[in-house]
Amino acid sequence: MRLMKSVLMAALIAAPAMTIAQTPAPTAQKPALVQRQFNQQRRVANGFRKGQLNFHQRARLERQQRSMHRQMRAMRARHNGRLTPRDRRILNHRMNVASRRIYRAKHNG
């Protein structure tokens, strides 16, 4: 009886700790800007693979993606690894422009 009681107590104490340990940390998820940039790079690659983009279009779009990535890294370096709201706004605008360019290049008929 005593053994069963101690096993039950151990299970009740360990259950919340195991639940907390299994939940992912909020920083483990990809930030929205990084995910968006990844999606845009994938769109360019798929467009080239499917024949919607030629070599020169692909090279230009990838160069623009690299430029945005470098700018994001520089912004993070200036602010101890974080992006300020202004930085996010600037990058979001650049990604909107890049997204439109990708769409137009893939659908230029």
Side-chain angles (χ1 to χ4, degrees):
M1 189 62 141
R2 183 178 278 201
L3 176 65
M4 192 162 181
K5 193 176 194 180
S6 61
V7 169
L8 182 62
M9 287 298 289
L12 288 174
I13 292 171
M18 290 172 47
T19 305
I20 292 171
Q22 291 177 354
T23 56
T27 57
Q29 299 171 354
K30 281 189 176 180
L33 290 173
V34 174
Q35 183 65 45
R36 186 170 178 196
Q37 190 171 21
F38 174 77
N39 291 343
Q40 287 183 354
Q41 289 171 343
R42 191 176 57 212
R43 285 172 57 205
V44 171
N46 286 342
F48 181 71
R49 188 169 35 87
K50 291 181 179 181
Q52 296 170 323
L53 297 174
N54 64 32
F55 178 79
H56 296 291
Q57 290 171 322
R58 174 183 163 207
R60 185 183 71 243
L61 293 170
E62 286 180 346
R63 192 170 43 250
Q64 291 166 354
Q65 292 294 316
R66 270 195 312 273
S67 171
M68 273 190 291
H69 183 68
R70 272 192 239 113
Q71 184 179 17
M72 185 187 303
R73 286 180 56 201
M75 289 174 169
R76 285 184 190 277
R78 280 194 301 265
H79 300 104
N80 297 326
R82 298 206 178 263
L83 291 172
T84 64
R86 180 176 185 269
D87 294 341
R88 287 181 198 282
R89 202 168 43 251
I90 290 168
L91 289 170
N92 242 334
H93 177 72
R94 281 198 70 187
M95 287 189 189
N96 288 342
V97 171
S99 181
R100 280 192 300 272
R101 285 181 180 153
I102 293 168
Y103 178 84
R104 287 183 186 138
K106 286 175 72 172
H107 297 86
N108 63 359

Short mmCIF file of all heavy atoms in Angstrom, two decimals, residues 44-102:
data_model
loop_
_atom_site.label_atom_id
_atom_site.label_comp_id
_atom_site.label_asym_id
_atom_site.label_seq_id
_atom_site.Cartn_x
_atom_site.Cartn_y
_atom_site.Cartn_z
N VAL A 44 10.46 31.02 -56.48
CA VAL A 44 11.39 31.27 -57.58
C VAL A 44 11.92 29.95 -58.12
O VAL A 44 11.95 29.71 -59.33
CB VAL A 44 12.55 32.19 -57.13
CG1 VAL A 44 13.63 32.27 -58.20
CG2 VAL A 44 12.03 33.58 -56.80
N ALA A 45 12.33 29.07 -57.22
CA ALA A 45 12.88 27.77 -57.64
C ALA A 45 11.83 26.95 -58.40
O ALA A 45 12.14 26.34 -59.42
CB ALA A 45 13.39 27.00 -56.43
N ASN A 46 10.60 26.95 -57.89
CA ASN A 46 9.53 26.20 -58.57
C ASN A 46 9.23 26.79 -59.94
O ASN A 46 8.97 26.05 -60.90
CB ASN A 46 8.26 26.17 -57.72
CG ASN A 46 8.37 25.25 -56.54
OD1 ASN A 46 9.24 24.38 -56.50
ND2 ASN A 46 7.51 25.43 -55.56
N GLY A 47 9.24 28.11 -60.04
CA GLY A 47 8.99 28.76 -61.32
C GLY A 47 10.04 28.40 -62.35
O GLY A 47 9.74 28.18 -63.53
N PHE A 48 11.29 28.33 -61.93
CA PHE A 48 12.36 27.95 -62.85
C PHE A 48 12.23 26.48 -63.25
O PHE A 48 12.35 26.12 -64.41
CB PHE A 48 13.72 28.20 -62.20
CG PHE A 48 14.88 27.87 -63.10
CD1 PHE A 48 15.17 28.66 -64.19
CD2 PHE A 48 15.67 26.76 -62.85
CE1 PHE A 48 16.24 28.36 -65.03
CE2 PHE A 48 16.73 26.45 -63.67
CZ PHE A 48 17.01 27.25 -64.77
N ARG A 49 11.92 25.64 -62.27
CA ARG A 49 11.80 24.20 -62.53
C ARG A 49 10.65 23.91 -63.49
O ARG A 49 10.76 23.04 -64.36
CB ARG A 49 11.60 23.46 -61.21
CG ARG A 49 11.65 21.95 -61.33
CD ARG A 49 11.71 21.25 -59.98
NE ARG A 49 10.95 21.88 -58.93
CZ ARG A 49 9.66 21.65 -58.68
NH1 ARG A 49 8.98 20.82 -59.42
NH2 ARG A 49 9.06 22.25 -57.67
N LYS A 50 9.56 24.66 -63.36
CA LYS A 50 8.39 24.43 -64.22
C LYS A 50 8.50 25.15 -65.56
O LYS A 50 7.60 25.04 -66.39
CB LYS A 50 7.13 24.89 -63.50
CG LYS A 50 6.76 24.01 -62.32
CD LYS A 50 5.49 24.51 -61.68
CE LYS A 50 5.11 23.62 -60.51
NZ LYS A 50 3.87 24.08 -59.88
N GLY A 51 9.56 25.94 -65.75
CA GLY A 51 9.73 26.63 -67.02
C GLY A 51 9.04 27.98 -67.10
O GLY A 51 8.99 28.58 -68.17
N GLN A 52 8.51 28.47 -66.00
CA GLN A 52 7.84 29.77 -66.00
C GLN A 52 8.86 30.92 -65.95
O GLN A 52 8.53 32.05 -66.32
CB GLN A 52 6.89 29.88 -64.82
CG GLN A 52 5.75 28.90 -64.87
CD GLN A 52 4.97 28.87 -63.57
OE1 GLN A 52 5.54 29.00 -62.49
NE2 GLN A 52 3.66 28.69 -63.68
N LEU A 53 10.06 30.63 -65.46
CA LEU A 53 11.13 31.63 -65.38
C LEU A 53 12.31 31.13 -66.19
O LEU A 53 12.63 29.94 -66.17
CB LEU A 53 11.58 31.82 -63.93
CG LEU A 53 10.57 32.36 -62.92
CD1 LEU A 53 11.16 32.34 -61.52
CD2 LEU A 53 10.15 33.77 -63.29
N ASN A 54 12.98 32.05 -66.88
CA ASN A 54 14.21 31.66 -67.54
C ASN A 54 15.40 31.90 -66.61
O ASN A 54 15.23 32.40 -65.48
CB ASN A 54 14.38 32.37 -68.90
CG ASN A 54 14.52 33.87 -68.75
OD1 ASN A 54 15.05 34.37 -67.77
ND2 ASN A 54 14.02 34.60 -69.75
N PHE A 55 16.59 31.58 -67.07
CA PHE A 55 17.78 31.65 -66.23
C PHE A 55 18.02 33.07 -65.72
O PHE A 55 18.33 33.28 -64.55
CB PHE A 55 19.00 31.15 -67.02
CG PHE A 55 20.27 31.24 -66.24
CD1 PHE A 55 20.57 30.29 -65.28
CD2 PHE A 55 21.16 32.28 -66.44
CE1 PHE A 55 21.74 30.37 -64.54
CE2 PHE A 55 22.33 32.37 -65.72
CZ PHE A 55 22.62 31.41 -64.76
N HIS A 56 17.88 34.06 -66.60
CA HIS A 56 18.18 35.45 -66.22
C HIS A 56 17.15 35.99 -65.22
O HIS A 56 17.52 36.72 -64.28
CB HIS A 56 18.24 36.34 -67.46
CG HIS A 56 19.35 35.95 -68.38
ND1 HIS A 56 20.68 36.14 -68.06
CD2 HIS A 56 19.34 35.35 -69.59
CE1 HIS A 56 21.44 35.68 -69.04
NE2 HIS A 56 20.64 35.19 -69.99
N GLN A 57 15.89 35.64 -65.41
CA GLN A 57 14.86 36.07 -64.46
C GLN A 57 15.12 35.46 -63.08
O GLN A 57 15.03 36.14 -62.06
CB GLN A 57 13.48 35.65 -64.94
CG GLN A 57 12.98 36.39 -66.15
CD GLN A 57 11.72 35.79 -66.72
OE1 GLN A 57 11.57 34.56 -66.74
NE2 GLN A 57 10.81 36.63 -67.18
N ARG A 58 15.45 34.19 -63.09
CA ARG A 58 15.73 33.50 -61.83
C ARG A 58 16.92 34.13 -61.13
O ARG A 58 16.87 34.39 -59.92
CB ARG A 58 16.00 32.04 -62.10
CG ARG A 58 16.45 31.27 -60.88
CD ARG A 58 16.77 29.85 -61.25
NE ARG A 58 17.56 29.23 -60.22
CZ ARG A 58 18.39 28.25 -60.43
NH1 ARG A 58 18.54 27.76 -61.63
NH2 ARG A 58 19.07 27.73 -59.44
N ALA A 59 17.98 34.42 -61.87
CA ALA A 59 19.18 35.00 -61.27
C ALA A 59 18.87 36.37 -60.66
O ALA A 59 19.31 36.67 -59.54
CB ALA A 59 20.28 35.13 -62.32
N ARG A 60 18.09 37.19 -61.37
CA ARG A 60 17.75 38.52 -60.85
C ARG A 60 16.92 38.41 -59.58
O ARG A 60 17.18 39.09 -58.58
CB ARG A 60 17.00 39.32 -61.92
CG ARG A 60 16.73 40.75 -61.47
CD ARG A 60 15.93 41.55 -62.48
NE ARG A 60 14.56 41.07 -62.48
CZ ARG A 60 13.95 40.51 -63.53
NH1 ARG A 60 14.58 40.37 -64.67
NH2 ARG A 60 12.70 40.09 -63.44
N LEU A 61 15.91 37.52 -59.57
CA LEU A 61 15.05 37.37 -58.40
C LEU A 61 15.83 36.80 -57.20
O LEU A 61 15.62 37.24 -56.06
CB LEU A 61 13.86 36.48 -58.74
CG LEU A 61 12.87 37.08 -59.74
CD1 LEU A 61 11.86 36.03 -60.18
CD2 LEU A 61 12.16 38.29 -59.15
N GLU A 62 16.72 35.87 -57.45
CA GLU A 62 17.53 35.32 -56.35
C GLU A 62 18.50 36.36 -55.80
O GLU A 62 18.75 36.40 -54.60
CB GLU A 62 18.27 34.08 -56.81
CG GLU A 62 17.36 32.88 -56.96
CD GLU A 62 18.08 31.62 -57.41
OE1 GLU A 62 19.23 31.72 -57.87
OE2 GLU A 62 17.48 30.54 -57.30
N ARG A 63 19.02 37.21 -56.67
CA ARG A 63 19.91 38.28 -56.23
C ARG A 63 19.16 39.24 -55.31
O ARG A 63 19.68 39.68 -54.28
CB ARG A 63 20.49 39.00 -57.45
CG ARG A 63 21.61 39.93 -57.14
CD ARG A 63 22.34 40.46 -58.38
NE ARG A 63 21.45 40.86 -59.46
CZ ARG A 63 21.32 40.22 -60.62
NH1 ARG A 63 22.02 39.12 -60.87
NH2 ARG A 63 20.50 40.67 -61.55
N GLN A 64 17.91 39.54 -55.67
CA GLN A 64 17.09 40.41 -54.82
C GLN A 64 16.81 39.75 -53.46
O GLN A 64 16.83 40.42 -52.42
CB GLN A 64 15.78 40.74 -55.52
CG GLN A 64 15.96 41.63 -56.73
CD GLN A 64 14.73 41.68 -57.61
OE1 GLN A 64 13.75 40.97 -57.38
NE2 GLN A 64 14.78 42.53 -58.63
N GLN A 65 16.57 38.44 -53.48
CA GLN A 65 16.35 37.72 -52.22
C GLN A 65 17.59 37.76 -51.34
O GLN A 65 17.50 37.95 -50.13
CB GLN A 65 15.94 36.27 -52.50
CG GLN A 65 14.58 36.11 -53.14
CD GLN A 65 13.45 36.54 -52.24
OE1 GLN A 65 13.43 36.23 -51.06
NE2 GLN A 65 12.51 37.28 -52.79
N ARG A 66 18.75 37.56 -51.95
CA ARG A 66 20.01 37.63 -51.19
C ARG A 66 20.21 39.01 -50.59
O ARG A 66 20.64 39.14 -49.44
CB ARG A 66 21.19 37.29 -52.10
CG ARG A 66 21.56 35.85 -52.13
CD ARG A 66 22.94 35.62 -52.74
NE ARG A 66 23.16 36.32 -53.99
CZ ARG A 66 22.83 35.87 -55.20
NH1 ARG A 66 22.25 34.70 -55.33
NH2 ARG A 66 23.09 36.58 -56.28
N SER A 67 19.88 40.03 -51.36
CA SER A 67 20.02 41.40 -50.87
C SER A 67 19.13 41.64 -49.64
O SER A 67 19.57 42.24 -48.66
CB SER A 67 19.65 42.38 -51.99
OG SER A 67 19.58 43.69 -51.50
N MET A 68 17.89 41.15 -49.70
CA MET A 68 16.99 41.29 -48.55
C MET A 68 17.53 40.53 -47.34
O MET A 68 17.45 41.02 -46.21
CB MET A 68 15.60 40.76 -48.89
CG MET A 68 14.72 41.78 -49.53
SD MET A 68 13.03 41.22 -49.64
CE MET A 68 13.17 39.93 -50.85
N HIS A 69 18.07 39.34 -47.59
CA HIS A 69 18.61 38.55 -46.49
C HIS A 69 19.79 39.26 -45.83
O HIS A 69 19.89 39.33 -44.60
CB HIS A 69 19.04 37.17 -46.99
CG HIS A 69 19.53 36.27 -45.91
ND1 HIS A 69 18.71 35.78 -44.93
CD2 HIS A 69 20.77 35.78 -45.64
CE1 HIS A 69 19.41 35.03 -44.10
NE2 HIS A 69 20.66 35.02 -44.51
N ARG A 70 20.67 39.84 -46.65
CA ARG A 70 21.80 40.60 -46.11
C ARG A 70 21.34 41.80 -45.32
O ARG A 70 21.88 42.11 -44.25
CB ARG A 70 22.73 41.05 -47.24
CG ARG A 70 23.76 40.03 -47.58
CD ARG A 70 24.82 40.62 -48.50
NE ARG A 70 24.81 39.82 -49.70
CZ ARG A 70 24.44 40.22 -50.91
NH1 ARG A 70 24.09 41.45 -51.13
NH2 ARG A 70 24.45 39.40 -51.93
N GLN A 71 20.32 42.49 -45.83
CA GLN A 71 19.80 43.65 -45.12
C GLN A 71 19.20 43.24 -43.78
O GLN A 71 19.41 43.90 -42.77
CB GLN A 71 18.74 44.37 -45.97
CG GLN A 71 18.22 45.63 -45.33
CD GLN A 71 17.20 46.35 -46.18
OE1 GLN A 71 16.62 45.78 -47.10
NE2 GLN A 71 16.95 47.60 -45.86
N MET A 72 18.47 42.11 -43.75
CA MET A 72 17.89 41.63 -42.50
C MET A 72 18.99 41.29 -41.49
O MET A 72 18.89 41.64 -40.32
CB MET A 72 17.02 40.40 -42.75
CG MET A 72 16.29 39.91 -41.50
SD MET A 72 15.41 38.35 -41.70
CE MET A 72 14.32 38.70 -43.03
N ARG A 73 20.04 40.65 -41.95
CA ARG A 73 21.15 40.31 -41.05
C ARG A 73 21.82 41.56 -40.50
O ARG A 73 22.17 41.62 -39.32
CB ARG A 73 22.16 39.43 -41.77
CG ARG A 73 21.66 38.01 -41.97
CD ARG A 73 22.65 37.14 -42.69
NE ARG A 73 23.94 37.14 -42.02
CZ ARG A 73 25.08 36.80 -42.60
NH1 ARG A 73 25.09 36.44 -43.86
NH2 ARG A 73 26.20 36.81 -41.93
N ALA A 74 21.99 42.58 -41.35
CA ALA A 74 22.60 43.83 -40.90
C ALA A 74 21.73 44.53 -39.87
O ALA A 74 22.23 45.06 -38.87
CB ALA A 74 22.86 44.74 -42.09
N MET A 75 20.42 44.52 -40.11
CA MET A 75 19.49 45.14 -39.16
C MET A 75 19.52 44.43 -37.82
O MET A 75 19.51 45.06 -36.76
CB MET A 75 18.07 45.14 -39.72
CG MET A 75 17.83 46.09 -40.85
SD MET A 75 16.18 45.85 -41.53
CE MET A 75 16.03 47.28 -42.59
N ARG A 76 19.57 43.11 -37.87
CA ARG A 76 19.64 42.34 -36.62
C ARG A 76 20.96 42.60 -35.89
O ARG A 76 21.00 42.69 -34.67
CB ARG A 76 19.51 40.85 -36.90
CG ARG A 76 18.11 40.41 -37.21
CD ARG A 76 18.07 38.89 -37.37
NE ARG A 76 16.82 38.42 -37.90
CZ ARG A 76 15.73 38.20 -37.17
NH1 ARG A 76 15.74 38.42 -35.89
NH2 ARG A 76 14.63 37.76 -37.75
N ALA A 77 22.04 42.73 -36.63
CA ALA A 77 23.34 42.97 -36.02
C ALA A 77 23.36 44.32 -35.31
O ALA A 77 24.00 44.47 -34.27
CB ALA A 77 24.44 42.92 -37.08
N ARG A 78 22.66 45.30 -35.86
CA ARG A 78 22.64 46.63 -35.24
C ARG A 78 21.84 46.65 -33.95
O ARG A 78 22.07 47.51 -33.10
CB ARG A 78 22.04 47.65 -36.21
CG ARG A 78 22.99 48.13 -37.25
CD ARG A 78 22.46 49.37 -37.95
NE ARG A 78 21.19 49.17 -38.62
CZ ARG A 78 21.03 48.85 -39.90
NH1 ARG A 78 22.09 48.71 -40.67
NH2 ARG A 78 19.83 48.69 -40.41
N HIS A 79 20.90 45.74 -33.78
CA HIS A 79 20.01 45.77 -32.61
C HIS A 79 20.06 44.49 -31.80
O HIS A 79 19.02 43.98 -31.36
CB HIS A 79 18.57 46.06 -33.07
CG HIS A 79 18.44 47.36 -33.78
ND1 HIS A 79 18.29 47.44 -35.15
CD2 HIS A 79 18.46 48.63 -33.33
CE1 HIS A 79 18.22 48.70 -35.50
NE2 HIS A 79 18.32 49.45 -34.42
N ASN A 80 21.25 43.94 -31.62
CA ASN A 80 21.45 42.77 -30.76
C ASN A 80 20.57 41.58 -31.12
O ASN A 80 19.98 40.93 -30.27
CB ASN A 80 21.24 43.13 -29.29
CG ASN A 80 22.23 44.16 -28.81
OD1 ASN A 80 23.38 44.16 -29.26
ND2 ASN A 80 21.81 45.04 -27.92
N GLY A 81 20.46 41.28 -32.41
CA GLY A 81 19.72 40.10 -32.85
C GLY A 81 18.23 40.28 -32.99
O GLY A 81 17.52 39.33 -33.28
N ARG A 82 17.72 41.47 -32.76
CA ARG A 82 16.29 41.71 -32.87
C ARG A 82 16.01 42.71 -33.98
O ARG A 82 16.86 43.49 -34.37
CB ARG A 82 15.75 42.28 -31.56
CG ARG A 82 15.92 41.33 -30.40
CD ARG A 82 14.87 41.62 -29.36
NE ARG A 82 14.98 40.70 -28.25
CZ ARG A 82 14.25 39.62 -28.14
NH1 ARG A 82 13.38 39.30 -29.05
NH2 ARG A 82 14.39 38.83 -27.11
N LEU A 83 14.79 42.66 -34.48
CA LEU A 83 14.34 43.63 -35.48
C LEU A 83 13.41 44.63 -34.81
O LEU A 83 12.50 44.24 -34.08
CB LEU A 83 13.60 42.94 -36.62
CG LEU A 83 14.42 42.05 -37.54
CD1 LEU A 83 13.52 41.30 -38.49
CD2 LEU A 83 15.43 42.87 -38.30
N THR A 84 13.65 45.90 -35.06
CA THR A 84 12.76 46.93 -34.52
C THR A 84 11.49 46.95 -35.37
O THR A 84 11.48 46.43 -36.49
CB THR A 84 13.44 48.31 -34.57
OG1 THR A 84 13.65 48.66 -35.94
CG2 THR A 84 14.76 48.30 -33.80
N PRO A 85 10.43 47.57 -34.87
CA PRO A 85 9.21 47.68 -35.68
C PRO A 85 9.47 48.39 -37.02
O PRO A 85 8.91 48.01 -38.05
CB PRO A 85 8.26 48.49 -34.81
CG PRO A 85 8.70 48.19 -33.41
CD PRO A 85 10.19 48.04 -33.50
N ARG A 86 10.34 49.38 -37.03
CA ARG A 86 10.68 50.07 -38.28
C ARG A 86 11.38 49.12 -39.25
O ARG A 86 11.09 49.11 -40.44
CB ARG A 86 11.57 51.27 -37.97
CG ARG A 86 11.97 52.05 -39.21
CD ARG A 86 12.77 53.31 -38.84
NE ARG A 86 13.04 54.10 -40.02
CZ ARG A 86 14.12 53.98 -40.77
NH1 ARG A 86 15.05 53.11 -40.45
NH2 ARG A 86 14.30 54.74 -41.83
N ASP A 87 12.31 48.31 -38.72
CA ASP A 87 13.00 47.33 -39.56
C ASP A 87 12.01 46.34 -40.17
O ASP A 87 12.10 46.01 -41.35
CB ASP A 87 14.05 46.56 -38.76
CG ASP A 87 15.19 47.44 -38.28
OD1 ASP A 87 15.38 48.53 -38.85
OD2 ASP A 87 15.90 47.02 -37.34
N ARG A 88 11.07 45.88 -39.36
CA ARG A 88 10.06 44.93 -39.86
C ARG A 88 9.22 45.56 -40.97
O ARG A 88 8.91 44.92 -41.97
CB ARG A 88 9.14 44.49 -38.73
CG ARG A 88 9.77 43.55 -37.75
CD ARG A 88 8.75 43.16 -36.68
NE ARG A 88 9.41 42.63 -35.52
CZ ARG A 88 9.89 41.39 -35.44
NH1 ARG A 88 9.77 40.58 -36.45
NH2 ARG A 88 10.49 40.98 -34.34
N ARG A 89 8.87 46.83 -40.78
CA ARG A 89 8.07 47.54 -41.78
C ARG A 89 8.85 47.65 -43.10
O ARG A 89 8.30 47.41 -44.17
CB ARG A 89 7.69 48.92 -41.24
CG ARG A 89 6.50 49.53 -41.88
CD ARG A 89 5.97 50.76 -41.15
NE ARG A 89 6.99 51.69 -40.68
CZ ARG A 89 7.31 51.88 -39.39
NH1 ARG A 89 6.67 51.22 -38.44
NH2 ARG A 89 8.23 52.74 -39.04
N ILE A 90 10.12 48.00 -43.02
CA ILE A 90 10.95 48.13 -44.21
C ILE A 90 11.08 46.78 -44.92
O ILE A 90 10.91 46.68 -46.14
CB ILE A 90 12.35 48.68 -43.84
CG1 ILE A 90 12.23 50.14 -43.41
CG2 ILE A 90 13.33 48.52 -44.99
CD1 ILE A 90 13.49 50.69 -42.76
N LEU A 91 11.38 45.73 -44.16
CA LEU A 91 11.53 44.40 -44.76
C LEU A 91 10.22 43.89 -45.34
O LEU A 91 10.20 43.27 -46.40
CB LEU A 91 12.09 43.42 -43.73
CG LEU A 91 13.56 43.64 -43.36
CD1 LEU A 91 13.94 42.78 -42.18
CD2 LEU A 91 14.45 43.35 -44.55
N ASN A 92 9.12 44.16 -44.65
CA ASN A 92 7.82 43.74 -45.16
C ASN A 92 7.52 44.42 -46.49
O ASN A 92 7.01 43.78 -47.42
CB ASN A 92 6.72 44.08 -44.16
CG ASN A 92 6.02 42.85 -43.66
OD1 ASN A 92 5.97 41.83 -44.34
ND2 ASN A 92 5.48 42.95 -42.47
N HIS A 93 7.84 45.70 -46.59
CA HIS A 93 7.62 46.42 -47.84
C HIS A 93 8.47 45.81 -48.96
O HIS A 93 7.98 45.59 -50.07
CB HIS A 93 7.93 47.90 -47.67
CG HIS A 93 7.81 48.69 -48.94
ND1 HIS A 93 6.59 48.97 -49.51
CD2 HIS A 93 8.75 49.22 -49.75
CE1 HIS A 93 6.80 49.66 -50.62
NE2 HIS A 93 8.10 49.82 -50.79
N ARG A 94 9.74 45.54 -48.67
CA ARG A 94 10.62 44.94 -49.68
C ARG A 94 10.12 43.57 -50.10
O ARG A 94 10.21 43.21 -51.27
CB ARG A 94 12.05 44.81 -49.13
CG ARG A 94 12.81 46.12 -49.18
CD ARG A 94 14.28 45.94 -49.06
NE ARG A 94 14.83 45.32 -50.26
CZ ARG A 94 16.09 44.92 -50.36
NH1 ARG A 94 16.91 45.10 -49.35
NH2 ARG A 94 16.53 44.37 -51.46
N MET A 95 9.59 42.81 -49.15
CA MET A 95 9.08 41.48 -49.49
C MET A 95 7.80 41.57 -50.31
O MET A 95 7.56 40.74 -51.18
CB MET A 95 8.88 40.65 -48.24
CG MET A 95 10.18 40.19 -47.65
SD MET A 95 9.93 39.02 -46.35
CE MET A 95 11.59 38.90 -45.73
N ASN A 96 6.98 42.59 -50.05
CA ASN A 96 5.78 42.80 -50.88
C ASN A 96 6.18 43.10 -52.31
O ASN A 96 5.61 42.55 -53.26
CB ASN A 96 4.94 43.95 -50.34
CG ASN A 96 4.23 43.61 -49.04
OD1 ASN A 96 4.08 42.44 -48.69
ND2 ASN A 96 3.81 44.63 -48.33
N VAL A 97 7.17 43.96 -52.49
CA VAL A 97 7.65 44.31 -53.83
C VAL A 97 8.23 43.07 -54.51
O VAL A 97 7.93 42.79 -55.67
CB VAL A 97 8.69 45.45 -53.75
CG1 VAL A 97 9.36 45.66 -55.09
CG2 VAL A 97 8.04 46.72 -53.26
N ALA A 98 9.02 42.30 -53.77
CA ALA A 98 9.64 41.10 -54.33
C ALA A 98 8.57 40.08 -54.72
O ALA A 98 8.68 39.42 -55.76
CB ALA A 98 10.61 40.48 -53.34
N SER A 99 7.54 39.95 -53.90
CA SER A 99 6.47 39.01 -54.21
C SER A 99 5.77 39.38 -55.51
O SER A 99 5.48 38.52 -56.34
CB SER A 99 5.47 38.97 -53.05
OG SER A 99 4.45 38.04 -53.32
N ARG A 100 5.50 40.68 -55.69
CA ARG A 100 4.88 41.13 -56.94
C ARG A 100 5.79 40.87 -58.13
O ARG A 100 5.33 40.46 -59.20
CB ARG A 100 4.54 42.62 -56.85
CG ARG A 100 3.25 42.90 -56.10
CD ARG A 100 2.78 44.32 -56.29
NE ARG A 100 3.73 45.32 -55.83
CZ ARG A 100 3.80 45.79 -54.58
NH1 ARG A 100 2.96 45.34 -53.66
NH2 ARG A 100 4.67 46.71 -54.24
N ARG A 101 7.09 41.08 -57.96
CA ARG A 101 8.04 40.83 -59.05
C ARG A 101 8.07 39.35 -59.42
O ARG A 101 8.13 39.00 -60.60
CB ARG A 101 9.43 41.29 -58.66
CG ARG A 101 9.61 42.77 -58.70
CD ARG A 101 11.02 43.16 -58.33
NE ARG A 101 11.17 44.60 -58.37
CZ ARG A 101 12.04 45.26 -57.66
NH1 ARG A 101 12.87 44.62 -56.84
NH2 ARG A 101 12.13 46.57 -57.74
N ILE A 102 8.03 38.49 -58.41
CA ILE A 102 8.02 37.05 -58.68
C ILE A 102 6.76 36.68 -59.46
O ILE A 102 6.82 35.96 -60.46
CB ILE A 102 8.12 36.24 -57.37
CG1 ILE A 102 9.48 36.45 -56.71
CG2 ILE A 102 7.89 34.76 -57.62
CD1 ILE A 102 9.56 35.94 -55.28
#
